[in-house]
Amino acid sequence: MSQSTALSTVGFIGLGTMGREMALNLMKAGMTVGVFDVRREAVEELAALGAYAASSAADAARSADAAITMLPNTPDVEAVVLGEHGLLANPPAGRLLIDMSTIAPVAARRMHAQCAAQGIEYVDAPVSGGPIGAKNATLTIMAGGTAQAFETALPFFKAMGTTVTHVGASGAGQTVKLCNQLICGINIQAICEALALGRASGVDLKQLREVLMGGSAASWMMDKLAPAMIDGEVAAGFRIDLMLKDLRLVQEQAHALNVPLPASSLVTNQYLDAVAHGEGRNGNQALFRVYDRMTAQTSC
Ligand code: NAD
């Protein structure tokens, strides 16, 4: 670890499934981390491991080189950044804001402009790799913003991820993330369809998956989610409601740019069906239950 990395300080806001692990990895890299979440128990857990337990987002970031947000959705990030007592009004000493949540690219660009007007850098840096990538510090990080801000943020990114790329100007990170999510959503749906057809045809689903993993249909989703689909395990890593949020962001961006995305529209509706049937807090593998209903199965 370089000396500058060891001296880095960061305020981390949002200690959920992803943020908890990411903040821990910053601490493991020798950084001084102030933490804040509206769930006090999440703050206290990390404080017991050496983080500074902040009383607000601004308090977490006040004396830090940067503030990192890892929050559910666009309005949450806007509240923490633009709110009356937020990070724009009370910026970190290093005047750098890094949002690693998945939010609307247009909102990222808006916040970037508002920050720039006050001499504050804003980097949108959403991630891929899920809770396992967050825990193992192997996230893929796609960042948008100025090259200078990206370079400044790099020590933080390297403590949390392995594939770290500056993909362009403000909002580009969120756009690349939405492209990632539309592929993931459609891939999950394709796996559900293959399993539904295989099940109705009487083939062994575990063997079906093993065979497909050895061929050109293999994918991260097939590897990580198909076993849970087959076993009917629905506990979340990445939740159905967060994927629906991402697919809605995909639709909004596509509509704004007049880009037809028929497959994304279809899978978005299936996620709406899943949420309407109470699956929002379950993991993405629970999309298979939509196929259970369509094929009158009750096993999963
Ligand atoms: P999560 O819901 O588990 O965690 C969000 C945390 O933010 C919670 O602890 C919540 O209490 C906190 N929070 C909400 N509003 C707050 C506020 N105003 N101030 C402080 N804390 C607040 O979500 P997650 O799974 O960790 O995902 C976070 C972001 O990362 C989302 O945008 C998600 O789409 C994205 N993401 C998630 C995964 C995944 O696999 N879970 C993977 C890649 C990207």
Side-chain angles (χ1 to χ4, degrees):
M1 188 191 321
S2 73
Q3 194 184 13
S4 63
T5 300
L7 291 176
S8 292
T9 57
V10 61
F12 201 104
I13 297 114
L15 306 170
T17 307
M18 300 293 285
R20 175 187 181 277
E21 307 297 337
M22 294 159 72
L24 278 172
N25 284 328
L26 290 164
M27 291 162 68
K28 282 183 202 152
M31 297 181 187
T32 302
V33 183
V35 292
F36 179 69
D37 193 293
V38 287
R39 292 181 305 113
R40 199 62 204 163
E41 68 276 15
V43 174
E44 278 159 13
E45 191 212 343
L46 288 206
L49 299 170
Y52 165 65
S55 56
S56 67
D59 181 34
R62 188 168 292 122
S63 56
D65 296 316
I68 297 179
T69 43
M70 192 56 174
L71 299 163
N73 200 354
T74 308
D76 307 305
V77 179
E78 287 179 333
V80 167
V81 173
L82 306 176
E84 193 183 346
H85 304 292
L87 296 171
L88 187 59
N90 307 276
R95 303 187 79 75
L96 173 62
L97 303 189
I98 304 166
D99 178 39
M100 304 191 75
S101 331
T102 306
I103 67 165
V106 65
R109 283 194 292 275
R110 208 163 41 226
M111 283 188 277
H112 175 92
Q114 286 169 283
C115 287
Q118 298 196 27
I120 298 165
E121 289 281 11
Y122 175 100
V123 178
D124 52 296
V127 306
S128 178
I132 299 167
K135 187 176 173 57
N136 296 338
T138 55
L139 290 170
T140 293
I141 300 173
M142 43 217 109
T146 67
Q148 191 188 340
F150 175 75
E151 286 301 322
T152 308
L154 211 45
F156 300 119
F157 293 153
K158 286 188 171 167
M160 297 181 279
T162 41
T163 306
V164 182
T165 312
H166 182 215
V167 292
S170 175
Q174 295 296 352
T175 296
V176 173
K177 172 66 181 178
L178 294 189
C179 294
N180 182 83
Q181 292 308 84
L182 84 80
I183 293 169
C184 290
I186 294 167
N187 189 216
I188 292 167
Q189 185 194 17
I191 294 165
C192 290
E193 297 209 348
L195 293 180
L197 182 63
R199 180 171 61 188
S201 311
V203 300
D204 181 277
L205 292 189
K206 289 190 173 164
Q207 192 178 53
L208 169 74
R209 177 192 159 275
E210 268 170 39
V211 171
L212 296 182
M213 274 305 293
S216 55
S219 68
W220 193 98
M221 295 297 166
M222 179 78 79
D223 185 29
K224 304 284 193 294
L225 292 192
M229 287 179 187
I230 294 166
D231 292 340
E233 289 169 9
V234 295
F238 186 49
R239 297 196 309 264
I240 287 268
D241 59 3
L242 286 176
M243 180 59 110
L244 176 58
K245 177 259 301 181
D246 293 350
L247 291 169
R248 281 186 159 127
L249 294 175
V250 168
Q251 294 293 309
E252 285 165 20
Q253 174 121 334
H255 290 172
L257 296 171
N258 293 319
V259 181
L261 299 177
S264 301
S265 301
L266 180 58
V267 73
T268 303
N269 281 301
Q270 292 192 319
Y271 272 84
L272 280 168
D273 178 304
V275 168
H277 284 85
E279 309 279 5
R281 306 290 299 178
N282 289 334
N284 271 250
Q285 67 274 15
L287 194 74
F288 195 37
R289 290 183 168 187
V290 174
Y291 285 81
D292 287 348
R293 287 190 291 277
M294 290 194 294
T295 54
Q297 296 281 333
T298 53
S299 59
C300 177

